[in-house]
C-alpha cells in the first residue's frame, strides 16, 4: 500500500516585506543669494512612508546632493541637511567635484506619517564670503542612486528625478 509519504514540493519562495518611501521635492531657492549668506534654503524634501508589511519604518542611510548652476564648489562654504520638524542638523559638509554625500541614520515611520505630516528635510547652503558674484548656485538629487535606504526598504518607482532647486544668482555683499 502507498502512504503518500514523503511529500515532495518545489523550492519555497520567500517574500521579504518591504516598506516604501516616496520623496517629493519643492524648490525653495530665492531669486538671489548674497556673498556671506547663511542658511539659504534651496530645497525641501518631503518623505512619505507606505507600510509594506515590514516594520512600517524606513531608514535613510545616505543622501547625495549635486551642485548645479555656473558656480564652483568654493562658492558654497557649507551645505546642511536639516530635519524641519526638529531643526536638527542631520549632516553637513562641503562640495567636492560638484557633489556632497550626507551619511545618515534617519528613520521615518508610517505611523508618524499617518498621525502627523510627512517628514520634511531641508537643504541649506552657506554662500562663501568670496563667492563669485554673477555665478548661479543650486542643488539637485540627480537620480535614485542619490538616496540610499536600509534594506529591505525601497524607494517608490513614482519619484520624479532629478529633484532640483532653482539656481539663484550670487550678488555682491557690497551691492
Amino acid at each position: 500500500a502507498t502512504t503518500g509519504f514523503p511529500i515532495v514540493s518545489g523550492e519555497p519562495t520567500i517574500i521579504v516585506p518591504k516598506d516604501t518611501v516616496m520623496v517629493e521635492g519643492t524648490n525653495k531657492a530665492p531669486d538671489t543669494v548674497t556673498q556671506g549668506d547663511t542658511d539659504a534654503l534651496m530645497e525641501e524634501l518631503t518623505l512619505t512612508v507606505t507600510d509594506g508589511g515590514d516594520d512600517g519604518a524606513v531608514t535613510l542611510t545616505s543622501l547625495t546632493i549635486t551642485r548645479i548652476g555656473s558656480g564652483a564648489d568654493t562658492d558654497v562654504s557649507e551645505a546642511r541637511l536639516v530635519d524641519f520638524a526638529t531643526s536638527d542638523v542631520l549632516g553637513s559638509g562641503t562640495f567636492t567635484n560638484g557633489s556632497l554625500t550626507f551619511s545618515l541614520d534617519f528613520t521615518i515611520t508610517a505611523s508618524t506619517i499617518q498621525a502627523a505630516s510627512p517628514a520634511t528635510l531641508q537643504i541649506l547652503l552657506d554662500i562663501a564670503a568670496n563667492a563669485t558674484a554673477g555665478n548661479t548656485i543650486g542643488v539637485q538629487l540627480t537620480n535614485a542612486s542619490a538616496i540610499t535606504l536600509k534594506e529591505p526598504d525601497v524607494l517608490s518607482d513614482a519619484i520624479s528625478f532629478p529633484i532640483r532647486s532653482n539656481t539663484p544668482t550670487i550678488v555682491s555683499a557690497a551691492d
Side-chain angles (χ1 to χ4, degrees):
T2 306
T3 60
F5 291 98
I7 298 173
V8 179
S9 66
E11 290 291 317
T13 301
I14 299 172
I15 299 172
V16 178
K18 299 174 185 181
D19 298 320
T20 303
V21 66
M22 178 65 184
V23 181
E24 295 176 285
T26 303
N27 169 51
K28 295 290 185 174
D31 292 333
T32 62
V33 290
T34 302
Q35 294 168 326
D37 273 358
T38 57
D39 298 327
L41 177 57
M42 293 288 142
E43 187 75 19
E44 269 188 358
L45 304 172
T46 303
L47 295 87
T48 307
V49 174
T50 301
D51 187 348
D54 182 21
D55 58 1
V58 170
T59 300
L60 188 61
T61 57
S62 75
L63 183 102
T64 299
I65 58 174
T66 302
R67 179 185 42 77
I68 58 173
S70 63
D73 290 349
T74 55
D75 286 334
V76 177
S77 57
E78 185 177 66
R80 282 182 301 290
L81 183 67
V82 176
D83 178 356
F84 177 75
T86 64
S87 298
D88 290 344
V89 176
L90 304 176
S92 64
T94 56
F95 288 102
T96 302
N97 298 320
S99 71
L100 168 61
T101 298
F102 299 109
S103 294
L104 306 167
D105 185 14
F106 183 71
T107 301
I108 310 135
T109 60
S111 59
T112 300
I113 301 307
Q114 293 163 0
S117 60
T120 301
L121 303 181
Q122 296 180 317
I123 301 171
L124 305 170
L125 300 182
D126 289 350
I127 307 304
N130 62 347
T132 303
N135 279 356
T136 58
I137 200 82
V139 296
Q140 78 175 10
L141 280 67
T142 305
N143 53 41
S145 66
I147 303 168
T148 56
L149 306 172
K150 188 174 180 181
E151 291 185 3
D153 300 322
V154 295
L155 290 173
S156 168
D157 291 335
I159 299 172
S160 181
F161 287 101
I163 296 171
R164 62 186 310 159
S165 73
N166 286 346
T167 53
T169 301
I170 300 168
V171 296
S172 173
D175 291 349

